[in-house]
Amino acid sequence: MDFIKLLNGSLKYTFHSHTEFCDGRAQMEAFAREAVAQGFSHYGFSPHSPVPIESPCNMHRDKVPVYLSEVERIRDTYGDKVNFYAGMEIDYLGDLWGPSHDYFKTLPLDYSIGSVHFIPDQNGTLVDIDGRYESFARKMHQFFNDDIRYVVETFYTQSIKMVEAGGFDIIGHLDKVGHNAAHYCPGIESEPWYRSLANELVDKVISSGVTVELNTKAYREHNRFFPSPELLKRLLDARVPLIVNSDAHVPALIDASRPEAFALIATLAPQS
């Protein structure tokens, strides 16, 4: 996405959305119609990828051909109004599974988002730490011995390894762990060790050349974007490619808080 077009919001787009193929709450058809109705020029579908573990939020592998066929049908139906893209949000689970895995190289995707939702607990069991705080707090006690520093450090370690492994175009909500972690331990994002980890990931992203999304999903309810303004400022100063994604799970929210995100970018971006 062109940097100048991003700053002035001249294109109406999102490349992060979830439908019936994963944990979205409506069919792709409904999202496509909403994209047309709202005057989008570019719209990307990005179901949560298949993973080799049980997960109610991820697409089953046998559904991937059906998903890709549905993208083609939507292009045939609405492609004269909106450019639709077949993407995927690919979970990084460690060295054996992630965006760089050979399986994803076989798929005819237009782009991929690399994200960390799962981290191993102290016994090596992969646990989904995404989602609402109530679930996160329960899992902190059930799986992680209430060790929030372990959870945060492991999230950022996994994220850095994912960037090093590559195989994706966009990094998704790169500091999202900070949201639940800050509820669990207020002030944690200001602690030196936390800031050091977050900035280490940003350093890795800057050197990688990967595109970063400014994710707006939590702004309406929690008044925060991912990445945080502090990290966003670093990325803007480094001229890292950026896109603003709504991460919508319902059609009505495909443009939610994107205007506010563009306003923040305009405030933080270097002037020359």
Side-chain angles (χ1 to χ4, degrees):
M1 191 61 61
D2 182 82
F3 188 76
I4 299 301
K5 290 180 179 178
L6 171 68
L7 292 184
N8 63 26
S10 60
L11 294 176
K12 195 167 187 179
Y13 65 86
T14 186
F15 292 92
H16 195 159
S17 65
H18 299 285
T19 69
E20 80 272 22
F21 285 96
C22 54
D23 61 346
R25 297 193 287 277
Q27 294 186 338
M28 284 174 63
E29 173 78 16
F31 284 86
R33 289 180 177 178
E34 188 68 21
V36 171
Q38 292 199 32
F40 275 69
S41 58
H42 301 275
Y43 194 91
F45 299 104
S46 57
H48 291 289
S49 71
V51 289
I53 58 175
E54 289 296 319
S55 170
C57 294
N58 288 73
M59 177 165 53
H60 288 225
R61 192 163 176 164
D62 62 359
K63 294 294 185 182
V64 172
V66 183
Y67 158 65
L68 294 171
S69 294
E70 180 64 0
V71 174
E72 288 302 316
R73 188 193 68 79
I74 284 173
R75 283 173 172 156
D76 290 342
T77 306
Y78 304 105
D80 61 328
K81 301 177 178 67
V82 181
N83 294 302
F84 287 100
Y85 301 86
M88 189 174 288
E89 185 176 16
I90 303 175
D91 275 293
Y92 179 81
L93 303 183
D95 295 338
L96 299 180
W97 192 259
S100 64
H101 190 275
D102 286 343
Y103 166 68
F104 297 107
K105 298 175 185 177
T106 70
L107 300 179
L109 299 174
D110 296 310
Y111 67 95
S112 60
I113 301 171
S115 296
V116 173
H117 300 97
F118 298 83
I119 66 168
D121 68 7
Q122 290 93 330
N123 298 314
T125 301
L126 287 163
V127 180
D128 185 355
I129 61 167
D130 200 51
R132 292 195 170 272
Y133 175 69
E134 294 77 15
S135 173
F136 179 85
R138 184 174 64 253
K139 291 174 181 178
M140 280 296 304
H141 185 69
Q142 181 179 357
F143 294 102
F144 297 108
N145 301 316
D146 298 306
D147 188 344
I148 189 63
R149 182 156 181 165
Y150 170 85
V151 169
V152 170
E153 289 178 341
T154 305
F155 173 87
Y156 280 112
T157 297
Q158 292 287 85
S159 298
I160 289 169
K161 288 181 178 179
M162 179 180 72
V163 174
E164 290 174 339
F168 61 97
D169 304 292
I170 303 163
I171 185 168
H173 43 64
L174 63 82
D175 65 338
K176 195 175 183 184
V177 70
H179 175 60
N180 280 330
H183 280 290
Y184 190 85
C185 182
I188 193 171
E189 292 174 285
S190 297
E191 295 185 14
W193 66 268
Y194 182 101
R195 290 164 60 92
S196 177
L197 286 168
N199 279 296
E200 184 180 355
L201 174 57
V202 168
D203 289 339
K204 187 67 66 174
V205 167
I206 290 171
S207 64
S208 75
V210 71
T211 296
V212 175
E213 74 165 10
L214 179 55
N215 187 297
T216 69
K217 181 183 176 184
Y219 188 80
R220 177 172 293 189
E221 185 175 356
H222 300 289
N223 196 38
R224 68 176 298 162
F225 295 118
F226 307 112
S228 68
E230 177 185 349
L231 300 180
L232 178 62
K233 174 64 174 170
R234 284 202 60 208
L235 294 163
L236 287 166
D237 287 346
R239 303 285 179 170
V240 170
L242 290 166
I243 57 175
V244 177
N245 282 334
S246 58
D247 194 357
H249 288 60
V250 296
L253 297 180
I254 62 174
D255 197 35
S257 303
R258 291 181 70 260
E260 292 89 341
F262 283 116
L264 177 62
I265 290 170
T267 300
L268 296 179
Q271 298 303 306
S272 60

